[in-house]
Amino acid sequence: MKFSFILVVLTFTIVPNSGIANKPIEFDKKAFIEVQRSQVRVSDLAQELGEESDSEVQQTAYGQVGFDINLWGHSIDSNIFFRQTQSYLLENESNVTNYSLYPKRTIARDLFKMEHINETGEDRSELVLNEFSYDWGDDEVWFTFGRMHIVYGEGVFSNPINPFNYSSGFANTYGINLANDGMEFLIGKKDDLKLHIYLLADRSFNNYEDEKVARTIFLRGEWAVNPATNINYVLGEDQKRHKYGVEVSRKITEQRKGYLQLVRYSQRLDKEEVYAKGLTHFLLGYQLEPNTRQAFTIEFGKQQRNTLDQSYDPINHLPFEGFAAISSRLSHSDKWSSELGFTQDTDSDYRFYKVSTTYDLGKFNNIRLFHTGPLTTSTSEDLDYTSQRYIPTETGIAVRAHF
């Protein structure tokens, strides 16, 4: 049965012009690979906390291979993510790799644990089924089941309205979305008012102990109030907390857009901690595109930490609470573009910047030079900000090919 199904798929794929049933099968592949080599410099403050190295070379190759196939209205989306990293920092289990190798985990809600991660000395290899979902429906109701990407929200530096993906605006990796296991119902697919119902399951939340599963029951509504104004609202239970919030985005002109997010997390539902409090996150952003060659984004916000252990949400790149950030993308020509970014923790005064430039070698290939790191030589001595001391300075080159 399985062989017969594969044979049918290959037949329609290899002979796309056969005209059978008006081409009922559509096939689209997606693949890229990027090779990076960078110099990672560890801060003096991190060395004071026990880091053994002050500077190490990190070599990484990562990418994805996948396909989307549509069979008479039934869709299957798949994607395999791979990454191979070599660095002395890995052998020492350095905290610095939380930032130089981001994201370390590519599954946000993990029920099936379909991944292979092997660490041996200075080498780390990863092979992850990052997406495999079945989709079916019509203009009114749409159903998705399996391992899926959940992408929404306007935030660049932070995006608290979406707990199922990560914010990578200041990271040196591109094109990676987190996977989520479960199902989604979409009601009103082509209406101005849509409702998404997410039913997800996660065993990694409890470190895969005793097969315990943390459930997610989450509602997201999309309301196109008018051609210029859109509202996202969320409500549900996820990772042992009630989460609810709203995002309002408005296109002021064709070149300008503003957005606001306000999200609330309750206390942990499975713990009775006397001093535990809920968490409040907010984001205020503004985007300007004066012409086709320039784009600017300004964001202010707060990603509140857990008051008991001072931990941050792990799907954000930098461990900032209150922040102000600005980023710009400049296209110098049809082949050459640059990206500049600056952000500051408004509580600790820690400052971080990003500079990169990309040159297109051809239609499907490019080369990128990048440099990221702190502008400050010191940070707050408060233990609440210890994690910021591990943020490294990284200078490197990346070559990417799309297939």
Side-chain angles (χ1 to χ4, degrees):
M1 183 68 180
K2 181 184 294 185
F3 176 78
S4 300
F5 174 76
I6 294 174
L7 183 60
V8 170
V9 172
L10 290 176
T11 300
F12 283 108
T13 302
I14 297 171
V15 192
N17 297 318
S18 61
I20 299 175
N22 297 319
K23 299 180 183 179
I25 297 182
E26 298 177 2
F27 181 88
D28 183 31
K29 68 178 185 297
K30 49 189 180 185
F32 78 86
I33 182 172
E34 178 169 305
V35 179
Q36 289 187 3
R37 180 182 175 88
S38 62
Q39 191 76 30
V40 181
R41 291 186 290 278
V42 181
S43 70
D44 293 339
L45 292 170
Q47 294 179 60
E48 292 176 6
L49 293 174
E51 292 293 327
E52 296 183 6
S53 300
D54 58 355
S55 181
E56 293 294 339
V57 172
Q58 179 171 291
Q59 300 180 97
T60 303
Y62 72 95
Q64 68 178 28
V65 178
F67 65 85
D68 298 336
I69 186 168
N70 188 297
L71 300 157
W72 299 282
H74 300 260
S75 299
I76 298 175
D77 301 334
S78 69
N79 172 38
I80 295 176
F81 172 79
F82 59 89
R83 180 165 54 188
Q84 179 71 37
T85 307
Q86 191 276 327
S87 173
Y88 181 70
L89 296 169
L90 291 170
E91 185 173 17
N92 290 329
E93 300 182 351
S94 170
N95 291 316
V96 173
T97 58
N98 292 331
Y99 308 101
S100 64
L101 185 63
Y102 185 81
K104 265 198 167 181
R105 284 189 53 81
T106 58
I107 307 177
R109 305 293 180 266
D110 185 4
L111 176 63
F112 303 116
K113 201 178 180 180
M114 300 182 71
E115 63 179 352
H116 171 77
I117 299 176
N118 183 48
E119 295 187 12
T120 305
E122 301 180 8
D123 296 304
R124 174 185 169 97
S125 61
E126 302 166 68
L127 188 64
V128 182
L129 183 63
N130 187 250
E131 181 183 28
F132 194 86
S133 62
Y134 165 78
D135 308 88
W136 177 83
D138 52 30
D139 292 346
E140 296 181 356
V141 179
W142 196 259
F143 168 77
T144 302
F145 173 79
R147 175 161 287 183
M148 68 193 80
H149 297 155
I150 302 176
V151 182
Y152 65 91
E154 299 284 353
V156 176
F157 180 82
S158 181
N159 192 40
I161 196 73
N162 184 355
F164 310 116
N165 213 333
Y166 75 107
S167 301
S168 59
F170 283 74
N172 291 316
T173 51
Y174 297 90
I176 306 173
N177 287 312
L178 300 191
N180 298 271
D181 293 337
M183 62 182 68
E184 174 191 0
F185 295 92
L186 170 58
I187 302 173
K189 184 180 180 184
K190 291 193 175 181
D191 295 337
D192 293 336
L193 190 62
K194 303 182 180 69
L195 180 63
H196 302 256
I197 304 174
Y198 302 107
L199 304 175
L200 310 175
D202 185 16
R203 291 169 49 222
S204 65
F205 185 76
N206 296 302
N207 296 317
Y208 304 99
E209 295 178 357
D210 301 325
E211 301 299 319
K212 293 181 179 179
V213 175
R215 67 182 185 184
T216 294
I217 304 174
F218 209 73
L219 306 180
R220 175 170 72 94
E222 292 182 80
W223 180 22
V225 181
N226 54 52
T229 306
N230 288 277
I231 295 177
N232 261 313
Y233 56 91
V234 297
L235 172 67
E237 178 186 328
D238 175 57
Q239 293 197 331
K240 305 297 184 180
R241 294 181 186 269
H242 289 148
K243 300 180 179 181
Y244 49 93
V246 63
E247 174 190 68
V248 180
S249 64
R250 180 172 177 81
K251 183 181 289 186
I252 304 169
T253 67
E254 288 299 320
Q255 294 78 32
R256 296 184 295 156
K257 179 171 67 175
Y259 48 92
L260 170 69
Q261 294 183 10
L262 182 62
V263 182
R264 177 69 179 172
Y265 291 3
S266 72
Q267 296 173 272
R268 283 281 297 269
L269 304 176
D270 58 335
K271 295 184 178 181
E272 296 181 358
E273 298 170 327
V274 177
Y275 299 102
K277 297 180 180 179
L279 307 176
T280 300
H281 312 313
F282 76 87
L283 177 70
L284 179 63
Y286 176 79
Q287 294 180 355
L288 170 65
E289 295 185 16
N291 52 60
T292 57
R293 292 190 176 276
Q294 296 177 308
F296 302 90
T297 300
I298 301 174
E299 291 185 346
F300 302 90
K302 185 167 187 175
Q303 180 92 359
Q304 195 170 16
R305 293 171 292 179
N306 187 314
T307 55
L308 293 182
D309 60 15
Q310 296 300 323
S311 62
Y312 297 89
D313 191 329
I315 61 176
N316 267 357
H317 178 220
L318 297 176
F320 288 11
E321 188 168 6
F323 66 87
I326 181 170
S327 64
S328 64
R329 291 177 176 83
L330 309 174
S331 179
H332 309 291
S333 67
D334 293 339
K335 289 181 173 290
W336 179 31
S337 61
S338 297
E339 183 179 0
L340 307 173
F342 169 82
T343 183
Q344 176 173 333
D345 187 317
T346 54
D347 296 318
S348 69
D349 288 333
Y350 188 92
R351 302 177 184 91
F352 183 87
Y353 69 98
K354 174 180 181 177
V355 180
S356 70
T357 186
T358 303
Y359 186 81
D360 292 334
L361 301 172
K363 186 176 180 181
F364 302 107
N365 308 283
N366 62 57
I367 184 170
R368 185 174 83 253
L369 303 177
F370 59 87
H371 179 73
T372 58
L375 279 172
T376 49
T377 56
S378 63
T379 187
S380 172
E381 295 182 359
D382 193 324
L383 294 178
D384 293 350
Y385 304 103
T386 298
S387 56
Q388 294 179 353
R389 304 183 184 187
Y390 293 104
I391 300 174
T393 299
E394 187 173 6
T395 304
I397 183 172
V399 179
R400 173 174 289 224
H402 292 270
F403 304 96

